[in-house]
Amino acid sequence: MTTSDAPPRDTRDAATAHAWAALGGDPALPAQVTYRPVSGGLPARLPVAELARATVGVCSLAAAELGARRSGGAVPAVRVDEGAVATAFVSERHLTIDGRKPTNFAPLSGFWRAADGWVRTHANYPHHRARLLTALGLPGDSGPGELAAALAARPARAIQETVYAAGGLAVAVAEPGESEIPLAALPLIESRRIGEGAPRPRPLPLLEAPRPASGGLPVSTGTASGGLPGNGALPASAVLPASGVRVLDLTRVIAGPVATRTLALLGADVLRIDSPRLPEDPDAHADTGFGKRSAALDLAAPEDRRTFEALLADADVLVTGYRPGALDRLGLAPDAVLERHPGLVVAQLCAWGWSGPWAGRRGFDSLVQAATGIAAIEAKGDGDGHPGALPAQALDHGTGYLLAAAVLRALTERQDTGGGRHLRLSLAGTAAWLTHGIAPATLVDGPAHDPAPWLAETASDLGTLRYARSPIGSPDGPLDWARPPGRLGADAPRWL
């Protein structure tokens, strides 16, 4: 595989060690990971590159650990290329569908001047756009000019609360140290064992279905680009660490889907479930739907709910990406689920943390950056105080890899101890780690970052996709997904 010629970097830095400790891992294992450096991949004032490589590094290590535990061997060394990390952390920007580049932010999403500062809005979804305009008393066909005038006349915190009360999305841009979010109290990862049970050892299958040794992508007609030889798939005799693991995916947008596409990459049977009343953005699914199947179920409808419960009974993992308590009315509170299905791994993701006055609010990466002081730290420096943004939606992507790592570690622990697991992560928790918990490292200079070797192309039901390959390191070589994303809701709600 084409990589930089720079030597691997020792991984024993504080960020990687901290993330692995938060996952409850053996403190000796981070020495098994090395990073191959690049320069200029994710430039920022905050240590974004350190966060990115650490989250991918611990996810790669957790995958290697699970594979070793299931096969009965020692945990092998893994290598992560920072060029792959930097490319994958902006995967939605590299995506093209039949040559078309999706629009990542709608015209009414962004930073706007308020009477006493700045606000950040998020109006990518039609219902959020409508609620934003309604909250401000604007007609439904209003454009950026009308929105800017309405926001400039109001204080930032008043905008925030007015829009929130209407079900829309806007937050005041906080200065460092002045966030309303209790960052010091937010853990990076929460994990608890629930219930007792016999260990659940599951050996790896002896052999997976053959994969092509070269040329194209697995189960696709794709080809790598930018000088990447072959498809980078594992050898035909390889067995993936999460082979046979069944994952129900109730997540949306970026962070949760990044986690579940990573589990799919590692061999899990991932079945995404969406409500027919709340469809996902098709372009977002084209980026994060790799390796998965997608079905539509209305969990409030009795027949669909019975189908879902049957799926849950045979699942190993349930991943959700909704606000705290949002699924409780459907009987999907973690304790209730684990009482019905002992031994399950229940992994939850939210925006603002699991307690405190903001816990129940809707949120996205860009809003969390604004509300936690990150946007002020990354200000453009143009003299007018315009807030800035990280070079990637790093809270989404970083939390996604941490969530996948937490699931992999829970599966490893369940091999020995049994019982269920309840995992919780949040974008704000990752923001707290970025702003207060990661010291900038002394980086080893490498070649200038070039994303081309980490981009590939494949045919799919959605069209020809050009996409960013996964950055997950493997002792056997680079991985790629066994299937491209299909159409949302087009698959039968059943396990393979």
Side-chain angles (χ1 to χ4, degrees):
M1 176 168 203
T2 301
T3 59
S4 66
D5 295 327
R9 179 192 295 125
D10 193 322
T11 189
R12 286 171 286 190
D13 59 82
T16 302
H18 179 89
W20 188 249
L23 291 163
D26 179 348
L29 284 181
Q32 297 294 94
V33 187
T34 53
Y35 296 123
R36 190 172 289 278
V38 297
S39 297
L42 293 168
R45 292 185 175 90
L46 287 165
V48 177
E50 291 88 335
L51 176 145
R53 73 174 191 228
T55 57
V56 172
V58 296
C59 188
S60 302
L61 182 57
E65 181 191 37
L66 176 61
R69 187 64 55 87
R70 295 183 70 189
S71 66
V75 178
V78 296
R79 187 180 70 185
V80 174
D81 195 301
E82 292 181 10
V85 173
T87 304
F89 259 60
V90 290
S91 62
E92 65 277 7
R93 299 182 201 167
H94 289 298
L95 178 71
T96 64
I97 306 169
D98 288 335
R100 174 182 63 85
K101 286 187 70 69
T103 300
N104 292 313
F105 286 101
L108 300 191
S109 296
F111 292 110
W112 309 88
R113 278 193 180 277
D116 60 349
W118 294 83
V119 293
R120 175 88 194 203
T121 60
H122 194 289
N124 285 10
Y125 287 89
H127 59 292
H128 290 152
R129 181 185 187 279
R131 292 169 185 172
L132 172 67
L133 295 175
T134 298
L136 299 171
L138 294 173
D141 60 353
S142 297
E146 292 88 348
L147 179 63
L151 295 175
R154 306 181 187 212
R157 292 289 168 84
I159 295 167
Q160 172 183 285
E161 297 307 317
T162 299
V163 173
Y164 164 66
L169 293 162
V171 300
V173 174
E175 291 297 320
E178 297 180 3
S179 173
E180 296 181 74
I181 316 302
L183 294 177
L186 293 175
L188 185 59
I189 299 161
E190 297 177 70
S191 175
R192 61 185 178 120
R193 178 181 171 187
I194 297 179
E196 300 297 328
R200 296 180 61 171
R202 176 187 283 181
L204 286 168
L206 293 178
L207 186 66
E208 281 198 323
R211 292 168 169 245
S214 64
L217 294 177
V219 197
S220 82
T221 59
T223 56
S225 63
L228 189 68
N231 69 343
L234 286 177
S237 60
V239 178
L240 297 170
S243 294
V245 172
R246 289 171 166 173
V247 179
L248 270 178
D249 177 7
L250 273 65
T251 68
R252 295 171 60 79
V253 195
I254 298 179
V258 163
T260 50
R261 81 176 177 191
T262 301
L263 296 173
L265 175 87
L266 296 167
D269 179 11
V270 178
L271 179 61
R272 173 173 173 146
I273 303 295
D274 282 281
S275 168
R277 294 179 285 108
L278 191 64
E280 176 63 287
D281 176 6
D283 288 347
H285 176 63
D287 175 43
T288 58
F290 281 88
K292 312 175 194 178
R293 293 176 298 120
S294 168
L297 290 174
D298 183 352
L299 300 188
E303 184 175 349
D304 281 4
R305 181 54 190 272
R306 286 191 292 271
T307 299
F308 181 81
E309 284 294 325
L311 290 168
L312 198 55
D314 291 328
D316 296 285
V317 181
L318 171 66
V319 186
T320 69
Y322 292 82
R323 290 171 292 150
L327 299 178
D328 291 6
R329 63 182 176 82
L330 298 171
L332 294 178
D335 287 352
V337 171
L338 286 162
E339 184 175 352
R340 298 196 306 275
H341 305 287
L344 192 69
V345 176
V346 178
Q348 293 183 291
L349 169 73
C350 72
W352 303 106
W354 296 93
S355 61
W358 281 52
R361 298 195 178 197
R362 299 171 181 86
F364 291 88
D365 180 303
S366 59
L367 300 180
V368 177
Q369 288 190 39
T372 57
I374 291 173
I377 292 170
E378 298 290 336
K380 291 185 175 181
D382 55 7
D384 69 353
H386 194 293
L390 298 177
Q393 295 191 68
L395 306 182
D396 266 331
H397 287 270
T399 307
Y401 290 114
L402 288 173
L403 180 59
V407 168
L408 295 166
R409 289 238 62 255
L411 292 170
T412 297
E413 292 177 354
R414 199 179 65 170
Q415 291 270 119
D416 296 333
T417 63
R421 296 294 189 280
H422 179 204
L423 312 170
R424 300 199 303 195
L425 294 87
S426 70
L427 302 185
T430 303
W433 184 44
L434 175 64
T435 55
H436 295 88
I438 302 179
T442 301
L443 300 180
V444 175
D445 288 335
H449 171 53
D450 176 9
W454 306 105
L455 301 176
E457 191 173 275
T458 185
S460 80
D461 289 342
L462 307 179
T464 299
L465 304 180
R466 191 167 191 258
Y467 67 97
R469 296 162 56 84
S470 174
I472 296 300
S474 164
D476 296 302
L479 307 177
D480 210 326
W481 289 277
R483 67 177 73 220
R487 297 192 181 277
L488 274 165
D491 295 296
R494 62 177 178 80
W495 297 115
L496 292 177

